[in-house]
Amino acid sequence: HTLVICILLFVLDPFPKSRLVALVAFAGLLLIHRARCAALPPLSHRWIILLLQEININDNNNIRNNSSRQKKRIRARKRKNKKMSTTTDKVLRTTTKAVLIDISGTLHIGRDAIPGAIDACRKLFQHQQQQHNNLQVLFLTNTSKVSSVTLLQQLRNMGFDKSTIPQNSEDDDDTIIMTSVGATRRYLLQHNLRPLCLVEDEILDTDFEGVDTTEADPNCVLVGLAPSKFNYDKLNEAFRLLLRLKEESSAQHDKDSDDSKPPLLVVIHRATYYRDADHMLSLGPGGFVSLLEQTCGVSAHVVGKPRRNFYRAALSSLGVDDVDPSQAVMVGDDVVGDIKGALDAGLGGAILVKTGKYVYGDELGRKTGGVVPTLTVDSIVEAVE
């Protein structure tokens, strides 16, 4: 009876694994029965071999069928994406009046220019001249590891001359580059903030003119990308200051109901990682910002990308009143700061380049709550085209 049940399972069960179990059980029982019953006809091993071959053939057919269906789906998806990209490309060509371009990871990695980036920028500004300046271009960066002066000098050394990053005046430092560091300086001055700085000293010496950075009587904590400051002693100092300021702020809030007080934790940007000079991913300031937020129970105020006000200020800095945000396009490698930030700010398009900090699958929207780029291209070269 057991042998009959095994045979029925083998014949009727649609699942290969279950059939294989039934086959093994059948073979085992048959061998045992043969040993105990001399009258049983001799067992031919070819039965088992043939049955195993049948299962293997069926499994291979299933695999081939699944693989064929998968290939068809991939081809259909590629055709659909190509059609959408062509349509998007036509729309961007006809409606764009302003272009915002990220720098780190989009134009260069470390001290190396992205292949073709220099010629692409030169071509973009040649097109701008042909359009009689109807197309506005601004470089927009969250770079906070080096000063603006050092950044510009590095770009010049890579080959980005004045035909690729033009000047606004005779001053060599007056270029069409807007940095989150400059926006942070203006924010600190506006709110009369005296920060305890987790920022590289070079930036403090050159980019924070007028800001009290002596740390004699700090009333907030400022965080940028500062590898030399992300150590226990400095982080613990920031932690203790935030706890004290929070307690003082709570006590003052009981006496004064004014809710328009400046934040205790000011952040230039909070990117979680970036593409370093060795072309490997390195930690950004975001993890350290989250550490201070969680341990101190405060919320950080982000000044740079992806903040909406930063993008609006960038468009205003172009000096053109008739540029609607929907007629502007952002190009960058950061799916959160560049892509989601730009689209949330109302920009008409955001092009993701597969260079810099781009990681496979960024364009699928998993890191951005479903927000996907308008277009995804290999590099700045294709974006300019």
Side-chain angles (χ1 to χ4, degrees), residues 29-249:
L29 289 170
L30 200 59
L31 290 172
I32 294 172
H33 194 61
R34 179 189 179 190
R36 298 181 62 183
C37 183
L40 190 68
L43 174 66
S44 174
H45 297 287
R46 287 181 295 177
W47 298 355
I48 299 177
I49 293 174
L50 290 173
L51 292 173
L52 288 173
Q53 287 177 345
E54 181 186 350
I55 293 177
N56 188 47
I57 291 171
N58 291 334
D59 290 345
N60 288 338
N61 288 336
N62 290 333
I63 292 172
R64 281 195 294 270
N65 291 336
N66 291 334
S67 178
S68 178
R69 286 193 292 268
Q70 182 68 16
K71 288 180 180 179
K72 289 180 180 178
R73 284 195 293 267
I74 292 174
R75 285 195 295 268
R77 191 181 300 116
K78 286 183 177 180
R79 287 194 297 268
K80 181 180 179 181
N81 291 341
K82 185 177 181 180
K83 183 177 179 180
M84 292 177 62
S85 297
T86 303
T87 304
T88 303
D89 180 65
K90 291 179 180 178
V91 172
L92 292 178
R93 284 174 183 268
T94 56
T95 63
T96 300
K97 290 187 177 181
V99 180
L100 308 180
I101 303 177
D102 175 52
I103 295 180
S104 179
T106 303
L107 299 185
H108 74 99
I109 297 176
R111 298 183 183 274
D112 302 321
I114 298 293
I118 296 174
D119 291 335
C121 290
R122 184 177 293 111
K123 184 175 182 179
L124 180 63
F125 285 104
Q126 289 174 351
H127 177 71
Q128 182 191 42
Q129 293 175 357
Q130 295 171 0
Q131 296 293 319
H132 305 288
N133 292 326
N134 288 330
L135 178 67
Q136 301 298 315
V137 181
L138 179 68
F139 294 98
L140 200 63
T141 179
N142 266 349
T143 298
S144 61
K145 189 177 180 181
V146 298
S147 67
S148 300
V149 175
T150 301
L151 173 63
L152 179 59
Q153 187 59 49
Q154 288 178 354
L155 290 171
R156 295 292 190 225
N157 293 339
M158 294 176 208
F160 291 93
D161 55 22
K162 295 177 183 179
S163 67
T164 58
I165 301 181
Q167 296 174 212
N168 283 331
S169 66
E170 295 299 325
D171 185 1
D172 287 341
D173 295 337
D174 186 13
T175 60
I176 53 174
I177 297 178
M178 179 175 175
T179 68
S180 56
V181 173
T184 302
R185 172 183 172 273
R186 292 188 291 272
Y187 181 84
L188 294 175
L189 290 173
Q190 179 183 355
H191 293 86
N192 193 27
L193 293 174
R194 305 177 301 277
L196 170 69
C197 299
L198 273 67
V199 177
E200 294 294 348
D201 293 333
E202 178 195 355
I203 295 180
L204 295 179
D205 296 337
T206 59
D207 289 12
F208 283 91
E209 182 181 359
V211 178
D212 183 359
T213 59
T214 60
E215 301 183 359
D217 182 27
N219 58 0
C220 72
V221 172
L222 174 64
V223 181
L225 179 57
S228 66
K229 300 296 179 71
F230 292 149
N231 55 70
Y232 180 82
D233 291 338
K234 196 67 178 179
L235 287 168
N236 196 45
E237 183 182 1
F239 165 72
R240 291 177 175 180
L241 174 62
L242 286 172
L243 288 181
R244 179 172 64 81
L245 292 175
K246 180 184 177 183
E247 183 177 356
E248 293 174 357
S249 178

